[in-house]
Amino acid sequence: MPGGVDWLEVVPGVLRTIGTPVDVNCVLVLGRDRALVVDTGSTAAEGARLRAGVLDRAGGRELVVVNTHAHYDHCFGNFAFQDRETWAAAGCVADLVATGEQQRRQAAWRWRSEDPAFAKALESTPIVPAGRQVEHPQSLELGGSVAELLVIGRGHTDHDLVVWLPALKTMIAGDLVEASGPPQLEDSFPLSWADRLDQLLALRATVTVPGHGGPVGERFVRAQARSMRLLADWCAGEMSDGVTAATPPDWSAESARVALRRARLEVQDSSSGSPSP
């Protein structure tokens, strides 16, 4: 639901939820010298509320911000942090520049009847891409601990970035992992997503923070990888055989249709070498 910000605060050895549950997780990681903010919310107003809470908890630490991907609910709050060091995958920056205005129009239209105030806040939010781009693994020193920024390839989007905290064995996965409902597929690469989750599982995280929903363990991520692989196999079968089969477990007919459309585009992109539309 819109109109607020929830975040997960990571302190040495502890992961806990702060605030009231809302749609997207924003994460605060406290090092000795720096505080890392992962994702910034949906609007400039949400970003401002998040920043106020972060500054209250950061205790004078320098702030650095990371975006996991370019969807509006994770990065339109960047406006409130534009004076801070901000990181994202290079593809995230390019995608936000290319699609930010369209995302804003679509999201505002979608929320106008349900939450007019939130729709209005979206319409007035300046779109601010991250100032620094990640193309290869990047280490951020926080003082006594390190956050690893890993761009792992096509999955939920074509530029998913995860934050790995090796000292805490904690992974901040963005929307590659979804715990509040089925993964969203509209910009996805369903034939590749399960492979991305296998990469995450190789980190052997004790705790994974999904883009939406509460923290989960390895068993949940493994189950989601199996579900995504079943969906990928179904899409591959539909494309090769042309015979409509029952949708795989855990997936609605509508989600399967979206996945099949995206899978066809994914195959076309692989053949042509062109970026995904």
Side-chain angles (χ1 to χ4, degrees), residues 130-141:
R132 300 196 181 190
Q133 300 184 24
V134 184
E135 297 188 41
H136 307 288
Q138 174 74 39
S139 296
L140 296 181
E141 177 60 53

Side-chain angles (χ1 to χ4, degrees), residues 8-214:
L8 298 157
E9 182 175 3
V10 180
V11 296
V14 178
L15 182 68
R16 58 196 176 103
T17 301
I18 306 297
T20 57
V22 295
D23 183 52
V24 63
N25 287 329
C26 302
V27 182
L28 172 63
V29 183
L30 297 176
R32 185 183 61 241
D33 305 319
R34 306 174 89 191
L36 173 64
V37 181
V38 184
D39 288 338
T40 59
S42 304
T43 66
E46 284 191 1
R49 288 195 293 274
L50 177 65
R51 176 173 174 140
V54 164
L55 290 174
D56 182 58
R57 289 166 173 81
R61 294 173 179 86
E62 177 189 357
L63 295 186
V64 58
V65 177
V66 171
N67 296 151
T68 59
H69 61 292
H71 288 164
Y72 80 93
D73 52 335
H74 292 261
C75 64
F76 273 24
N78 282 2
F79 179 75
F81 296 91
Q82 60 184 316
D83 62 334
R84 304 294 175 146
E85 181 181 318
T86 310
W87 294 83
C92 175
V93 173
D95 194 3
L96 188 57
V97 170
T99 71
E101 292 295 339
Q102 180 183 7
Q103 286 192 62
R104 175 165 50 197
R105 287 194 301 271
Q106 291 176 340
W109 178 84
R110 186 162 62 245
W111 287 107
R112 196 165 288 131
S113 59
E114 184 174 339
D115 194 326
F118 179 69
K120 186 174 181 180
L122 270 169
E123 290 170 337
S124 63
T125 292
I127 298 170
V128 180
R132 300 196 181 190
Q133 300 184 24
V134 184
E135 297 188 41
H136 307 288
Q138 174 74 39
S139 296
L140 296 181
E141 177 60 53
L142 304 180
S145 62
V146 172
E148 302 284 350
L149 310 186
L150 307 176
V151 181
I152 67 166
R154 291 176 161 184
H156 177 65
T157 67
D158 67 354
H159 56 262
D160 294 297
L161 181 150
V162 302
V163 179
W164 170 235
L165 307 172
L168 295 177
K169 294 187 71 66
T170 294
M171 174 172 57
I172 304 164
D175 284 357
L176 278 169
V177 178
E178 292 268 23
S180 66
Q184 297 301 301
L185 301 164
E186 285 77 6
D187 295 326
S188 72
F189 295 80
L191 303 180
S192 304
W193 196 329
D195 292 338
R196 304 290 82 78
L197 292 175
D198 286 345
Q199 288 177 251
L200 301 189
L201 285 164
L203 295 172
R204 303 304 300 270
T206 301
V207 174
T208 294
V209 181
H212 305 265

